[in-house]
Amino acid sequence: MKILYGLFALILIIASCNTGKNTGVQRTKEAEPFSGAYAISQIRDENALPKGLSITFEGAAHKITGFAGCNSFFGTYRLDHGHIIFQNIATSKKYCQHDINSLENQLIKALNSTNAISINENVMSFLENETIVLKAHKVEPIQQN
């Protein structure tokens, strides 16, 4: 009888661990490539950004491309045990105004420091540990007639 009570208690504990609320937040997963275009709306604490900053994930190829304000950027990413690692990020080399150049440097630093991504509905948050370093909103593809 003690064995049955123990088994029942164990089943109850296991079942209660799986009853957490679904918050709609998705952390980086190992086998899940990201895809689609996102408009960058925040870099660190700065959210008064010029329009047009973007990042695009190319799904299974694990490639990223984007626009940083004056130059475009590109690179790759890999998923490793629930973490994301951006690699080989490079930019084009156009001459830019000092403030735009500074913004581009901040964006690249934010990508390089990102180690996790959380997705809540259409908003992707790039995290360095638990701190948001970049935020981007999903952009719907333009329909061609």
Side-chain angles (χ1 to χ4, degrees):
M1 196 64 164
K2 288 183 182 180
I3 294 174
L4 286 177
Y5 283 127
L7 186 58
F8 180 71
L10 182 62
I11 291 171
L12 235 120
I13 290 170
I14 291 171
S16 69
C17 289
N18 293 329
T19 60
K21 290 182 181 178
N22 182 359
T23 61
V25 174
Q26 168 191 343
R27 291 292 234 166
T28 310
K29 293 184 181 174
E30 192 72 31
E32 183 177 310
F34 301 107
S35 63
Y38 291 81
I40 297 170
S41 59
Q42 180 180 340
I43 302 173
R44 302 256 179 217
D45 293 330
E46 181 65 45
N47 57 10
L49 301 175
K51 293 193 184 289
L53 302 182
S54 65
I55 185 168
T56 301
F57 289 85
E58 296 178 30
H62 290 259
K63 292 183 180 180
I64 59 164
T65 57
F67 180 69
C70 176
N71 287 290
S72 57
F73 64 91
F74 49 91
T76 60
Y77 70 93
R78 68 183 169 91
L79 301 173
D80 185 24
H81 295 81
H83 295 281
I84 189 165
I85 300 163
F86 290 99
Q87 300 172 307
N88 304 321
I89 297 177
T91 64
S92 57
K93 299 292 182 189
K94 293 180 187 173
Y95 177 76
C96 309
Q97 295 176 348
H98 177 70
D99 56 336
I100 297 294
N101 194 37
S102 175
L103 180 70
E104 289 183 348
N105 288 334
Q106 289 177 25
L107 189 144
I108 299 303
K109 282 181 186 176
L111 287 174
N112 283 324
S113 69
T114 297
N115 57 19
I117 288 181
S118 122
I119 301 172
N120 188 351
E121 296 182 14
N122 289 330
V123 178
M124 182 180 280
S125 297
F126 297 69
L127 305 166
E128 178 180 11
N129 302 320
E130 296 296 319
T131 304
I132 296 174
V133 294
L134 198 95
K135 205 176 252 193
H137 297 69
K138 182 88 169 170
V139 177
E140 296 302 321
I142 297 172
Q143 297 287 329
Q144 298 284 333
N145 289 335

